Amino acid sequence: MSGARESGLWKWLRKAQFHYRDALAMYRVENMLAAGMADVEGSLLDSQFFAELKSEARPAREDTPIRFKVKDREAQMNWLKERWRLAGNAWLFVQVGSSHQAARYLIPGQYAQSVYDGLCEADISILSRSSATDTAADIVARMARRKHDR
């Protein structure tokens, strides 16, 4: 993913801090020791969550698969799927398009391989646990919700 677009997605997600204030601790993680670890680690009240940020331009044709750039694909897929299986709070938070036409999708980590293999935007939307009207605070709340509470 382009560093600029990823940082823009992170900046958008950080807006949740204004809503939750001291109840939210959320950080970008640059971890060279744990292969595949997600970009974001956070805690909302008593629940920890992780998110891998990805962004791509919207293809010209709706049926064109979107292929997110991934450095260590295998490690990221395994890390997300394992965390999802164990705790359920490991997500892909992806953006398709930019500016006012951007769409953001929150996808359970168990679907990392499907997303990384390439899906059209309609299929990404089906996997998503977010809606077009969600705020950053809504996304963070959903990421922090325990697996059995969904």
Side-chain angles (χ1 to χ4, degrees), residues 19-109:
H19 179 81
Y20 292 114
R21 300 190 186 278
D22 292 341
L24 174 64
M26 189 167 60
Y27 305 96
R28 286 293 303 269
V29 178
E30 297 298 329
N31 189 339
M32 304 310 270
L33 299 175
M37 185 173 180
D39 295 324
V40 176
E41 183 276 333
S43 294
L44 179 61
L45 299 172
D46 65 347
S47 185
Q48 186 179 35
F49 60 89
F50 298 93
E52 179 64 31
L53 305 176
K54 296 289 175 199
S55 181
E56 270 305 323
R58 180 172 281 116
R61 294 181 39 175
E62 290 180 6
D63 61 345
T64 299
I66 298 166
R67 301 199 193 288
F68 295 96
K69 291 172 185 63
V70 184
K71 262 191 230 176
D72 190 347
R73 184 179 190 272
E74 201 67 31
Q76 277 191 10
M77 284 187 323
N78 290 338
W79 195 94
L80 287 164
K81 289 192 298 188
E82 178 185 47
R83 291 307 180 286
W84 183 266
R85 181 180 59 79
L86 295 172
N89 287 345
W91 302 86
L92 284 166
F93 185 50
V94 303
Q95 178 174 302
V96 178
S98 60
S99 188
H100 64 282
Q101 294 183 3
R104 296 175 192 91
Y105 302 102
L106 183 63
I107 303 165

Side-chain angles (χ1 to χ4, degrees), residues 96-148:
V96 178
S98 60
S99 188
H100 64 282
Q101 294 183 3
R104 296 175 192 91
Y105 302 102
L106 183 63
I107 303 165
Q110 68 183 359
Y111 300 118
Q113 182 167 352
S114 297
V115 172
Y116 289 169
D117 285 348
L119 296 170
C120 67
E121 190 170 359
D123 291 334
I124 292 172
S125 177
I126 289 168
L127 295 178
S128 181
R129 299 298 189 263
S130 59
S131 71
T133 59
D134 280 347
T135 65
D138 296 329
I139 295 293
V140 166
R142 199 157 291 120
M143 285 193 290
R145 198 170 301 136
R146 287 179 173 23
K147 192 174 186 176
H148 61 272

